[in-house]
Amino acid sequence: MIFQKNFSAEKIIKNTELKFYNEPWPYSILDNTYDVDGLEKAVAEIKKKVLNAFKGDRLSINLNHSIEYRERLPFTYYLVDSFDLNSIADSFGLKSGYRTTCELSICKNGWVQKVHDETGPKMLSCVTYIDPIDECGTMLYDSNKDYVGDVEWKVNRSMIFAKKPNVTWHSFRSSSNSYRITINQFLH
């Protein structure tokens, strides 16, 4: 078996610890989100079929509606299908049953996402750090948009938080000599 295809969030939480933090605003960290073998295969296919052909500084692929990418990135889709963000919604004071969207995000050449909070219908956000081993995590800011610290980048680590307008300020960037690959899931 290459990896666990039906790996539910309930099983993930039983095998790892969902750690909660309150500063500068409530968020959690989940290490070892995905099965290691599946993650390695997904990273290999992303590098071969997407990263090497990508010429810009930022690419975001909607994984919900792309038949082309579902065929080109089967291991990546198995990872996405293995983690149901709805199953941990109650840990953040939300009911399950929200619509889930997912994207593959690649940034490189020092690309910077400005300080922002979640907008629109996003209720719960999950950013999973995929590759490389050393990269920039997520920068956190207080309600005045003053920088307070980072969620450390660690491969296979997820940072999860519920949207709080004008509170959940954060940003991210890629190193100038590297790239940053994440799988981002959202409940709407």
Side-chain angles (χ1 to χ4, degrees):
M1 183 173 183
I2 297 170
F3 55 93
Q4 296 173 335
K5 185 175 177 182
N6 296 315
F7 205 76
S8 73
E10 183 177 323
K11 290 179 188 173
I12 291 171
I13 292 170
K14 287 179 183 174
N15 293 324
T16 61
E17 187 176 333
L18 187 61
K19 299 174 188 163
F20 289 88
Y21 301 86
N22 289 314
E23 298 297 329
W25 34 264
Y27 68 95
S28 70
I29 300 294
L30 178 64
D31 286 327
N32 306 311
T33 305
Y34 298 122
D35 177 79
V36 175
D37 292 337
L39 181 61
E40 289 173 358
K41 295 208 180 294
V43 167
E45 75 183 5
I46 291 167
K47 286 180 176 179
K48 180 179 179 182
K49 298 177 181 178
V50 179
L51 184 64
N52 292 341
F54 169 49
K55 304 288 187 220
D57 295 332
R58 173 96 196 272
L59 176 66
S60 181
I61 300 170
N62 181 329
L63 296 175
N64 294 83
H65 305 294
S66 177
I67 294 171
E68 173 194 355
Y69 280 104
R70 185 168 284 278
E71 292 172 356
R72 288 175 59 195
L73 304 172
F75 291 105
T76 303
Y77 274 91
Y78 283 131
L79 289 184
V80 169
D81 291 343
S82 73
F83 181 66
D84 179 11
L85 196 54
N86 265 296
S87 67
I88 60 170
D90 63 337
S91 297
F92 297 88
L94 301 170
K95 296 178 181 177
S96 63
Y98 288 94
R99 180 175 61 90
T100 303
T101 59
C102 186
E103 68 182 13
L104 174 66
S105 176
I106 301 174
C107 308
K108 59 184 185 178
N109 302 324
W111 192 89
V112 177
Q113 171 63 53
K114 296 186 296 185
V115 177
H116 65 286
D117 66 349
E118 298 303 61
T119 59
K122 293 179 187 173
M123 299 302 294
L124 190 66
S125 299
C126 175
V127 177
T128 306
Y129 308 139
I130 301 300
D131 198 61
I133 292 175
D134 294 314
E135 196 31 87
C136 301
T138 303
M139 295 165 275
L140 305 178
Y141 302 83
D142 64 18
S143 58
N144 296 316
K145 298 186 193 175
D146 293 326
Y147 170 78
V148 296
D150 292 296
V151 173
E152 179 185 5
W153 178 278
K154 180 180 172 188
V155 171
N156 210 8
R157 168 175 282 172
S158 294
M159 182 218 180
I160 307 165
F161 63 97
K163 172 180 82 171
K164 291 191 176 184
N166 298 312
V167 174
T168 52
W169 297 106
H170 61 286
S171 67
F172 58 90
R173 65 183 180 85
S174 64
S175 299
S176 60
N177 59 349
S178 186
Y179 57 88
R180 178 185 200 269
I181 300 175
T182 61
I183 293 177
N184 307 325
Q185 295 185 49
F186 308 102
L187 294 185
H188 299 269

